[in-house]
C-alpha cells in the first residue's frame, strides 16, 4: 500500500461524499473497486486492498449485470476481516462506460464506472481504423466522458506517413485532442502526461496489441504490466490483459486498464451518435423531407454534401452502420422487456391459480 494514501488519491471527492450522505451510508467504510474477477472483487481504500464479495441481498435484488459492482465503482463495505470485506451497496455512478454485451440478447456490458477521461488507443500499424475510433468516441460521448486519442508505435512509421495518418483523423473527427507516442523511444510521452490530471480517472480503450500495457509502464515509470513482444508475421503485439484493473499513477491520476475489445457494440446512445456525427445531423435539417433516409430521396442535403466533398462518404457510411446497430439494440431491449413481463404475468397467474385451488 502507498504511504499515507487516502481515498482522495483514488479519485474520491466531494461529489461522492455527498452521494454517500444522501444514501445514508455515513456509518460504512468506503472503498473503490480496482479489479474484478467474475464475482470476486478487489476493493481498495486508505486501509489497504481487500478481496470482497457482494451481500446476498445485493445479489438477489440485481435485475441485470449492470446492478453488480464494476471496476471504478465506489462501494460501502461491512464485515472487515484481515484481507476480506463484504460489499453492502454501490454508490450512484457519475458515469458508466458500456457497450452492447457480446452474444447476449439485449444486454449491456459495463466497461468501467466513474470515468472522467478515456484514452482511446490505436497503433499506426494494422490496428489503425478511423471507423473504430468513431465507435469508441460514440461510447464516450454517450456517457459524457471526455475522449483523448492516443496513437502509439510511431517508431514503426516515417514522419510523412504519420502526418498523412493524423490528417485523416482531423478530417473525420473534430474537437478531440490527440497525441502520438512511442513506447520504444518515449517520443510524445511527456505531452501525454500533461493531459493526466491528479484525482481524475482515465480509462484505456483499444484493441489487443496496440500497446496499452506498455503505455501504462511508460506513464507510471514502473514495469507494472506484463507485455509481450511483437509478432513479426502479423506486426502486432500479443494480447496480455485479461481483466479490468485500476492503477494509481505517480502524478496522482488514476488509470483503468481494460482487455482489448474486438467488438464495440453500439447501444441506445443517441446522444453519442449526435455528438460524433454532428455534421450529419446539422446537414440533415436542410433535407427536403423531415423523414429523409439520405439514401434515395431527392433534395437530400447529405447526398449533396458527399457529392461536393463536404463530408467523407466513409464517415456517412459508418454513421449509417452504427445507427442501424442502435435501432437493432433498442428493438432487442424492447423484446426482452416484453418477454420478462409476459413471464412475470405467467408466474403470477400460476401462483393465483395454485392459491385458489388450495381453498
Amino acid at each position: 500500500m502507498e504511504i499515507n494514501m487516502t481515498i482522495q488519491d483514488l479519485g474520491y471527492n466531494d461529489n461522492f461524499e455527498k452521494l454517500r450522505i444522501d444514501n445514508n451510508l455515513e456509518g460504512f467504510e468506503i472503498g473503490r473497486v480496482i479489479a474484478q474477477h467474475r464475482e470476486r472483487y478487489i476493493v481498495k481504500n486508505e486501509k489497504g486492498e481487500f478481496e470482497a464479495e457482494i451481500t446476498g441481498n445485493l445479489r438477489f435484488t440485481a435485475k441485470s449485470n449492470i446492478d453488480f459492482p464494476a471496476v471504478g465503482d465506489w462501494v460501502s463495505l461491512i464485515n472487515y476481516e484481515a484481507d476480506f470485506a463484504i460489499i453492502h451497496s454501490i454508490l450512484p455512478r457519475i458515469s458508466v462506460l458500456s457497450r452492447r454485451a457480446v452474444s447476449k440478447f439485449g444486454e449491456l456490458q459495463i466497461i468501467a464506472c466513474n470515468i472522467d477521461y478515456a484514452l482511446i488507443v490505436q497503433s499506426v500499424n494494422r490496428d489503425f481504423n478511423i471507423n473504430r475510433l468513431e465507435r469508441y468516441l460514440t461510447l464516450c460521448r454517450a456517457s459524457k466522458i471526455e475522449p483523448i486519442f492516443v496513437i502509439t508505435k510511431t517508431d514503426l512509421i516515417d514522419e510523412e506517413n504519420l502526418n498523412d495518418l493524423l490528417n485523416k483523423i482531423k478530417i473525420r473527427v473534430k474537437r478531440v485532442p490527440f497525441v502520438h507516442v512511442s513506447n520504444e523511444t518515449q517520443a510524445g510521452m511527456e505531452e501525454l502526461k500533461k493531459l493526466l490530471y491528479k484525482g481524475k480517472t482515465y480509462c484505456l480503450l483499444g484493441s489487443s496489441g496496440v500497446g496499452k500495457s506498455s503505455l501504462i509502464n511508460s506513464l507510471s515509470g514502473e514495469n507494472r504490466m506484463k507485455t509481450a513482444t511483437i509478432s513479426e508475421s502479423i506486426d502486432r503485439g500479443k494480447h496480455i490483459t485479461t481483466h479490468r484493473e485500476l492503477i494509481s499513477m505517480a502524478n496522482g491520476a488514476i488509470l483503468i486498464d481494460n482487455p482489448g475489445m474486438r467488438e464495440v457494440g453500439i447501444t441506445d446512445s443517441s446522444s453519442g451518435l449526435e455528438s460524433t456525427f454532428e455534421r450529419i445531423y446539422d446537414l440533415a435539417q436542410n433535407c427536403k423531407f423531415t423523414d429523409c433516409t439520405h439514401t434515395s430521396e431527392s433534395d437530400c442535403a447529405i447526398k449533396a454534401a458527399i457529392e461536393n466533398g463536404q463530408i467523407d462518404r466513409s464517415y456517412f457510411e459508418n454513421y449509417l452502420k452504427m445507427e442501424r446497430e442502435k435501432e437493432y439494440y433498442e428493438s432487442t431491449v424492447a423484446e426482452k422487456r416484453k418477454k420478462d413481463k409476459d413471464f412475470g404475468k405467467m408466474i403470477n397467474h400460476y401462483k393465483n391459480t395454485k392459491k385458489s385451488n388450495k381453498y
Side-chain angles (χ1 to χ4, degrees):
M1 185 181 74
E2 291 88 345
I3 298 175
N4 298 323
M5 191 202 75
T6 67
I7 56 175
Q8 283 72 28
D9 294 325
L10 291 170
Y12 197 76
N13 54 40
D14 292 341
N15 290 330
F16 291 113
E17 179 62 17
K18 184 177 185 303
L19 291 172
R20 178 187 184 183
I21 294 171
D22 290 345
N23 287 272
N24 301 314
L25 297 174
E26 298 99 311
F28 294 87
E29 295 279 354
I30 296 294
R32 194 169 196 186
V33 178
I34 66 169
Q36 177 183 357
H37 307 273
R38 298 195 177 185
E39 293 185 9
R40 303 280 283 192
Y41 306 90
I42 304 297
V43 177
K44 188 172 184 177
N45 60 19
E46 69 274 19
K47 295 183 178 179
E49 295 183 8
F50 303 88
E51 187 172 348
E53 292 182 354
I54 61 175
T55 62
N57 182 62
L58 189 56
R59 186 187 307 277
F60 179 77
T61 56
K63 295 180 180 179
S64 68
N65 57 358
I66 65 173
D67 296 319
F68 289 90
V71 173
D73 269 328
W74 286 99
V75 294
S76 61
L77 303 169
I78 55 176
N79 294 351
Y80 267 103
E81 295 179 7
D83 296 307
F84 183 78
I86 299 293
I87 296 174
H88 169 266
S89 62
I90 305 168
L91 268 69
R93 295 157 172 161
I94 290 179
S95 65
V96 179
L97 188 62
S98 62
R99 64 171 176 169
R100 189 183 70 245
V102 179
S103 302
K104 291 187 178 180
F105 184 75
E107 289 190 19
L108 285 174
Q109 178 189 8
I110 291 181
I111 299 171
C113 297
N114 301 314
I115 308 300
D116 299 298
Y117 296 87
L119 301 180
I120 302 174
V121 185
Q122 284 199 353
S123 60
V124 300
N125 54 357
R126 295 186 181 187
D127 173 75
F128 183 76
N129 186 305
I130 296 182
N131 284 357
R132 192 181 300 121
L133 279 178
E134 289 173 339
R135 282 180 169 273
Y136 283 123
L137 185 59
T138 299
L139 295 185
C140 293
R141 286 177 164 166
S143 304
K144 303 297 187 292
I145 294 170
E146 292 293 328
I148 300 171
F149 289 157
V150 182
I151 308 302
T152 63
K153 303 185 180 182
T154 55
D155 53 285
L156 301 178
I157 193 172
D158 59 42
E159 185 175 355
E160 182 180 351
N161 285 320
L162 175 60
N163 288 333
D164 180 60
L165 182 150
L166 297 177
N167 285 331
K168 288 179 180 178
I169 298 175
K170 292 177 182 178
I171 291 172
R172 289 275 290 270
V173 181
K174 308 296 182 183
R175 299 191 304 278
V176 177
F178 63 88
V179 293
H180 46 91
V181 303
S182 168
N183 290 308
E184 289 293 322
T185 68
Q186 295 296 292
M189 209 59 69
E190 289 304 315
E191 183 181 354
L192 177 56
K193 288 179 180 179
K194 292 177 182 178
L195 298 175
L196 305 182
Y197 305 112
K198 181 178 180 180
K200 298 297 183 180
T201 300
Y202 296 74
C203 182
L204 276 173
L205 298 175
S207 305
S208 301
V210 297
K212 298 197 303 300
S213 295
S214 297
L215 189 62
I216 291 174
N217 291 338
S218 295
L219 292 174
S220 65
E222 303 176 31
N223 191 27
R224 305 185 64 140
M225 306 296 290
K226 186 187 294 184
T227 60
T229 57
I230 294 175
S231 167
E232 294 182 2
S233 62
I234 62 172
D235 190 28
R236 184 177 298 168
K238 294 180 181 178
H239 174 44
I240 291 296
T241 305
T242 57
H243 61 273
R244 293 165 179 78
E245 184 175 356
L246 186 148
I247 303 163
S248 298
M249 297 284 101
N251 71 342
I254 302 103
L255 196 60
I256 295 179
D257 188 22
N258 292 283
M261 290 184 285
R262 293 181 181 178
E263 297 183 30
V264 190
I266 300 301
T267 61
D268 54 344
S269 50
S270 296
S271 60
L273 283 173
E274 289 178 14
S275 181
T276 300
F277 299 97
E278 180 181 11
R279 283 172 288 167
I280 289 176
Y281 281 87
D282 287 345
L283 284 168
Q285 298 186 40
N286 298 322
C287 292
K288 179 178 180 180
F289 303 104
T290 56
D291 58 349
C292 184
T293 63
H294 320 304
T295 55
S296 59
E297 294 88 348
S298 60
D299 296 324
C300 172
I302 302 297
K303 288 167 58 181
I306 294 173
E307 290 171 2
N308 63 30
Q310 187 177 353
I311 62 173
D312 190 83
R313 181 177 296 277
S314 56
Y315 172 75
F316 175 62
E317 290 174 349
N318 199 31
Y319 157 75
L320 285 180
K321 185 175 182 179
M322 284 195 275
E323 179 67 31
R324 286 193 295 267
E325 288 182 31
K326 178 184 76 72
E327 291 175 357
Y328 175 75
Y329 175 81
E330 290 172 343
S331 67
T332 58
V333 168
E335 187 176 346
K336 184 176 184 297
R337 287 174 178 166
K338 184 178 184 303
K339 286 184 177 180
D340 290 343
K341 186 177 181 180
D342 290 343
F343 181 74
K345 287 181 178 179
M346 182 185 71
I347 294 297
N348 289 333
H349 176 73
Y350 171 77
K351 289 180 178 178
N352 292 333
T353 301
K354 188 175 181 181
K355 185 176 180 181
S356 298
N357 292 339
K358 183 177 180 181
Y359 295 102

